[in-house]
Amino acid sequence: MKKKYMPVIVVCLLIFVVAVAGLGTHLVMKYLPTKARMDLNEYYGQVAEGETALIMGSEKLEQRGLLSGDMPYLPLEVVTGYLNQRYYWDSENQQVLYATPSELTSASSSEEPGGEVWLRDGSVYLSLDYIKKYTDIDAYVYQDPDRVAVQYQFEGIQTVRAEKDTYVRYRGGIKSKVLTEVEKGEAMILLEELEDWSQVATMDGYIGYVEKKRISVPEEMKSDRDFQTEQYQYITMDEPVNLAWHQVTTMEANAWLGDAIQNMTGVNVISPTWFSIQDNSGNITSIASQDYVNQAHERGLQVWGLIDNFSTEISTTEVLSRRSSRANIISQLMEAALNTGLNGINVDFESLHEDVGPHFLQFLRELSIECHKNNLVLSVDNPVPEDFTSHYDRAEQGRVVDYVIIMGYDEHYVGSEEAGSVASLPWVEKGIQDTLAEVPAQRVINAIPFYTRLWKTQAGSLSSEAIGMDQAQEVISTYQVETYWDKTTGQNYGTYENEGATYQIWLEDAQSVAAKVKLIPQYELAGVAAWKLGFENSSIWQVITENLK
C-alpha cells in the first residue's frame, strides 16, 4: 500500500514545492526594490557632441549649453531668465554689457570659444566663469552624459537629508528605476511631499523620488554664502517726499515759476517737464533753466528734471535698444543737470511695448550709474501694475533707482468704454499693494491726480475732458449739481442733464485727496506726488501736508 501511494505523495510534494517557489518569486518580485539603473541619455534627452544638458535648480531644460574642453557655456536667455537678468546683449557692438552699481562693464563676443562670450550661429553663450563673476551660484559639471547642474536659490528653500544610503528613483515606488544613489547625510532640495515618497532634487542635477522613511524631516536651507557683490547705495530724502510736477512747455514759461508756486505749501520737490527725446539717435530737447533751479532752491525745493518719450517722431524701442543712443541721452541729461544745479532726474517713459522692456531696464541701469556719480536722485514713473505692464519689471527698477513712482490715475481715461473715476480709492490702494510686492515701501512714491474728468453721454456717444479742481467746482455750482459721497470710489459723485446730454463727474477734492494721501503713512511709503501744478486749489496743500504725517 505504501508503495502504491508513494508516487502520489511525491507528486503532491513537488506541486507544493513549485507553488511555494512561485509564491516566493512573486513576493520577491513584488516587494524587493529594483536596482536597475535608468538610462541617463533617456532621462536628460540625447545630448549631441559638443553640447551639454542643463539643469537649473529643480528644472531640466530643453535648451542645451555648449562645451569647449572643460568649460561650459550657457545660452544668454537661460542666464537672464534663471540666474541674473543684468547680462545684456549689445547687438550694436556685438558685446555683452553688465551694469554694476558703479560702472558699466563689457565683454566682447567671438565666434570661437575661449573667451567670456561665444557667438555661435547667431546665438549668444556666456562662459560659466563669466557668469560666476557676477552671480551667486553653485555649478556642477558632469559627464556621461555631459550636463551642468546649477543651484541658484539659497533662501526660502526646504531641504531634507538622507538618514542612510539610499536611492533616488525616477518615479515614486520601489520598482521605479534608479537615477542615482545618495549617501547618508547628503542634502537634497524638497520639492513635494507625498504619502510615502518625497520628490527631491539633488545638488548635482537629479530630480526624482526617495522614500520618506529614509530622509529627515524638512528644514529651511541655511544660507551661509560668501559671495560678495557691490550693493546699490540709494539717495533718498530724510523726510517724506511731497512732489509736484510742473508742466513747462517753453523756455519762457520758466519765468512763471513764482506765480505757479505762490500759494504752494508743504512741497519739497518740484519736477519740471524739461526734457524730451527728439530723435532715434537719442538727441533730446531741453528747456532747463538755472534761474528756475535757483529760485526753487531759495524756496527750499529740490528740482528733479523730467524726461519723457512723448514725441511721435521717435521709436522708443529703437532709441533704447542701442547703446550709443542711450549714452547720448544720458550724457545730455548729465550736462544739463550739472549746468543748472538739478537735484535729480525723473524718467517718464509711457506706453512701453513689451519688446522695449529689457532695453528700458538697461537704460535705467546705465542712467543710475551716472546719476549716482553726480549725486542726483533717480526716480521713475510707472503705471499702476497690470498684467500687460509686467515688462516694466518694477522689482528690477526698485533695485537700481532711488524712487519708484506709481502714477495712481487714469483708471478711466479719454477713450475709455465707460465713464468712471480717474482714481478710485480701491483701485489706487490695489496699485500700491501690487507695487509693494516688488519694491520696498521706503522707496515707493504714490502719485495722485489734481484733475478729474467731466464725462458726457449724448446720443449713445461717450466723451470726456480733464478739468482741474476749481473748474470742477464751477461746474457743480453753475448746474447746481447735487453730489454725494460714494463709498465705493472714495469720492464725491454728481450727475446732471443739459441740452440733451447726461454729465457725470467723480470729484477730486479735499475729501478724496485726504483719503488717498492717508494711504502713504498707512503703507509706510516714501511719499506722495501730484499731477499737476495748476489743477489744484490753494487749500489742497494743507490737506496733503496734514494727511502725509
Side-chain angles (χ1 to χ4, degrees):
M1 289 293 292
K2 289 182 179 180
K3 292 182 179 180
K4 178 179 180 182
Y5 291 107
M6 186 61 67
V8 175
I9 294 172
V10 171
V11 170
C12 289
L13 287 173
L14 287 174
I15 292 173
F16 177 75
V17 169
V18 170
V20 169
L23 179 61
T25 302
H26 172 74
L27 292 174
V28 167
M29 292 296 293
K30 183 176 182 180
Y31 295 108
L32 183 67
T34 182
K35 294 183 180 181
R37 298 275 175 161
M38 185 166 190
D39 183 349
L40 294 184
N41 286 307
E42 177 187 352
Y43 178 69
Y44 289 111
Q46 200 66 37
V47 180
E49 186 176 353
E51 293 186 347
T52 179
L54 299 175
I55 305 95
M56 295 291 122
S58 57
E59 184 177 352
K60 290 185 298 178
L61 305 189
E62 294 289 336
Q63 299 101 314
R64 297 296 193 224
L66 299 179
L67 280 175
S68 175
D70 295 331
M71 176 54 65
Y73 285 78
L74 275 59
L76 176 61
E77 63 270 19
V78 169
V79 176
T80 57
Y82 288 88
L83 307 178
N84 187 334
Q85 69 183 114
R86 291 184 189 159
Y87 291 94
Y88 175 86
W89 174 241
D90 173 16
S91 59
E92 182 181 30
N93 299 294
Q94 298 287 285
Q95 61 185 353
V96 170
L97 304 177
Y98 191 91
T100 74
S102 62
E103 66 174 337
L104 182 64
T105 67
S106 62
S108 298
S109 67
S110 172
E111 294 187 358
E112 299 296 327
E116 294 178 316
V117 183
W118 185 358
L119 185 61
R120 178 174 169 178
D121 299 329
S123 295
V124 181
Y125 296 83
L126 309 185
S127 73
L128 187 58
D129 285 346
Y130 183 36
I131 299 166
K132 287 181 175 180
K133 185 176 182 180
Y134 297 111
T135 313
D136 186 13
I137 59 173
D138 286 335
Y140 306 84
V141 182
Y142 297 95
Q143 296 177 325
D144 299 323
D146 291 316
R147 61 193 187 278
V148 178
V150 179
Q151 297 297 340
Y152 61 95
Q153 296 172 315
F154 304 106
E155 293 183 0
I157 303 297
Q158 286 194 314
T159 61
V160 292
R161 292 188 178 274
E163 295 194 324
K164 56 183 71 176
D165 293 355
T166 190
Y167 292 123
V168 177
R169 299 182 180 276
Y170 181 57
R171 302 289 187 198
I174 60 173
K175 294 304 180 181
S176 180
K177 290 184 177 179
V178 173
L179 289 174
T180 188
E181 188 172 359
V182 292
E183 297 180 350
K184 180 180 179 180
E186 188 172 334
M188 296 164 281
I189 297 172
L190 178 64
L191 302 179
E192 183 181 7
E193 286 190 282
L194 304 175
E195 185 175 352
D196 298 316
W197 294 79
S198 290
Q199 187 184 32
V200 298
T202 66
M203 298 302 176
D204 55 353
Y206 295 98
I207 300 153
Y209 294 82
V210 294
E211 286 186 279
K212 291 180 72 172
K213 65 183 181 182
R214 295 179 176 272
I215 57 176
S216 67
V217 296
E219 59 183 14
E220 201 75 15
M221 176 183 281
K222 295 178 181 178
S223 179
D224 187 19
R225 312 292 298 172
D226 57 6
F227 181 82
Q228 297 294 322
T229 185
E230 184 181 0
Q231 299 297 311
Y232 278 89
Q233 302 298 318
Y234 303 108
I235 305 173
T236 56
M237 298 178 67
D238 294 331
E239 59 183 339
V241 175
N242 189 346
L243 179 150
W245 279 293
H246 185 199
Q247 189 172 29
V248 183
T249 56
T250 65
M251 180 65 78
E252 292 73 24
N254 286 310
W256 297 99
L257 173 63
D259 292 336
I261 64 176
Q262 183 176 3
N263 298 314
M264 187 178 76
T265 60
V267 173
N268 51 24
V269 179
I270 191 166
S271 181
T273 57
W274 275 349
F275 310 109
S276 187
I277 302 176
Q278 181 182 11
D279 58 36
N280 289 334
S281 296
N283 293 306
I284 67 174
T285 58
S286 171
I287 52 175
S289 163
Q290 186 175 3
D291 289 340
Y292 181 107
V293 174
N294 292 341
Q295 188 176 350
H297 285 172
E298 290 172 3
R299 286 284 301 267
L301 299 170
Q302 287 196 23
V303 184
W304 299 354
L306 179 149
I307 180 169
D308 66 49
N309 66 331
F310 298 166
S311 172
T312 58
E313 302 299 316
I314 69 163
S315 161
T316 304
T317 301
E318 186 173 343
V319 174
L320 297 186
S321 63
R322 292 201 304 266
R323 182 181 180 183
S324 59
S325 50
R326 293 194 305 271
N328 192 21
I329 295 170
I330 293 169
S331 65
Q332 292 170 85
L333 286 176
M334 293 304 101
E335 182 180 6
L338 296 176
N339 288 342
T340 60
L342 279 175
N343 306 98
I345 299 295
N346 175 237
V347 177
D348 187 23
F349 290 174
E350 300 185 19
S351 302
L352 298 181
H353 298 296
E354 187 173 357
D355 57 355
V356 79
H359 311 302
F360 173 58
L361 294 171
Q362 183 64 16
F363 171 73
L364 294 180
R365 296 182 192 114
E366 294 172 7
L367 179 58
S368 173
I369 293 169
E370 298 306 315
C371 278
H372 290 164
K373 281 181 182 177
N374 293 288
N375 200 35
L376 296 169
V377 179
L378 177 58
S379 60
V380 184
D381 306 333
N382 286 269
V384 167
E386 304 280 2
D387 289 343
F388 57 85
T389 64
S390 61
H391 56 279
Y392 280 71
D393 197 344
R394 295 157 184 83
E396 178 67 1
Q397 286 187 37
R399 297 183 190 104
V400 303
V401 309
D402 300 304
Y403 290 111
V404 173
I405 300 179
I406 311 167
M407 294 185 290
Y409 38 77
D410 285 343
E411 177 183 4
H412 294 86
Y413 49 90
V414 60
S416 288
E417 295 181 358
E418 61 180 10
S421 169
V422 167
S424 67
L425 189 62
W427 182 82
V428 170
E429 186 168 15
K430 186 177 186 302
I432 292 173
Q433 293 169 343
D434 290 346
T435 300
L436 293 184
E438 299 184 82
V439 186
Q442 65 268 25
R443 291 189 292 104
V444 172
I445 297 170
N446 189 63
I448 61 174
F450 279 165
Y451 66 94
T452 187
R453 286 198 169 274
L454 180 60
W455 296 91
K456 176 183 178 181
T457 304
Q458 188 168 35
S461 178
L462 179 67
S463 61
S464 69
E465 61 174 317
I467 58 178
M469 292 181 174
D470 287 337
Q471 189 178 351
Q473 289 302 321
E474 287 177 10
V475 169
I476 298 301
S477 176
T478 299
Y479 295 99
Q480 298 182 334
V481 182
E482 185 176 344
T483 62
Y484 67 90
W485 181 253
D486 179 10
K487 292 181 180 179
T488 303
T489 61
Q491 291 172 290
N492 285 300
Y493 169 78
T495 183
Y496 65 96
E497 304 287 333
N498 184 51
E499 297 182 353
T502 299
Y503 292 84
Q504 296 171 276
I505 191 166
W506 286 262
L507 291 168
E508 291 297 349
D509 54 18
Q511 200 172 356
S512 69
V513 167
K516 291 180 177 66
V517 177
K518 285 177 181 177
L519 297 173
I520 308 302
Q522 177 182 334
Y523 286 95
E524 300 181 337
L525 304 187
V528 67
W531 178 266
K532 63 175 182 170
L533 275 177
F535 275 159
E536 80 285 356
N537 59 39
S538 58
S539 65
I540 209 67
W541 302 115
Q542 187 63 27
V543 173
I544 293 175
T545 301
E546 289 176 353
N547 289 282
L548 190 58
K549 295 177 181 178

